[in-house]
Structures are given as C-alpha cells and as structure tokens.
Amino acid sequence: MSVPQAVAALSRVLRAHGGSLTLLEHDDRGRVRLRFAGMCGSCPAKATCLEATVRPALLAVEGVTEVSADGTRLDPAARARLRHFLEDPHDRHRFGAGKGQAHPGGVPS
C-alpha cells in the first residue's frame, strides 16, 4: 500500500464522523505531513487520533519514517504517556480505562 492509498483509507474512516485527512507532503526521506479537515480540523482529540490511529497506520507503510499533522501538538511527556497507555494493555486500568473516568490525580507514577 502506498502513502496516498493509506491516507485515503484513513480519511474514509474519519468521514464516519464528519472528518477527513489530507496528504500535504510526502518527501523522499519518508516524512509525511497531513492536515485534519472537516469536523476533525477543530477536534480537541486530533493529536490523540494522530498518535493512536494515524501515525501507526502510516508508519506501517514501507519507507515512512515520520508522520506529522498541521495544527496538532503533543508535548513529549504527554506523547510518552499516551504511547505507554496504547502499548501496555495490562497497565490501562491505571488510567481509568473502562471505568468512565481517568485517575483523579492525573497519571500515577
């Protein structure tokens, strides 16, 4: 699957809730730059969507080394917490997953 095909597939998924994804740039170093549009353009969770769904799908495409999206920012500490949460299913209970609320003191150490 090529980068444009992967972006088109992801965009179809985002259309289910009124959003879309646009490929802005794909260079010869494997860097991909995107833009969330539609309802996703102003969604406060787009950085999480990028980390949890979009980036992993695009990094699975041969040759892709980096994925970014205009208008998204996640500081390195938040990115590390999110990746830990996504990669360690045994630790998700610490974050309140499935209980309807996050840990009252934030992320426990």
Side-chain angles (χ1 to χ4, degrees), residues 25-58:
E25 182 180 358
H26 176 215
D27 68 19
D28 59 353
R29 292 183 182 164
R31 295 180 296 196
V32 174
R33 190 169 61 95
L34 309 163
R35 176 184 301 130
F36 285 93
M39 295 298 288
C40 295
S42 60
C43 178
K46 68 184 171 187
T48 301
C49 181
L50 176 67
E51 289 297 319
T53 305
V54 174
R55 180 173 280 129
L58 288 171

Side-chain angles (χ1 to χ4, degrees), residues 73-86:
R73 188 184 74 74
L74 202 57
D75 70 50
R79 178 175 284 135
R81 288 191 303 270
L82 180 58
R83 285 190 179 162
H84 177 76
F85 174 77
L86 294 169

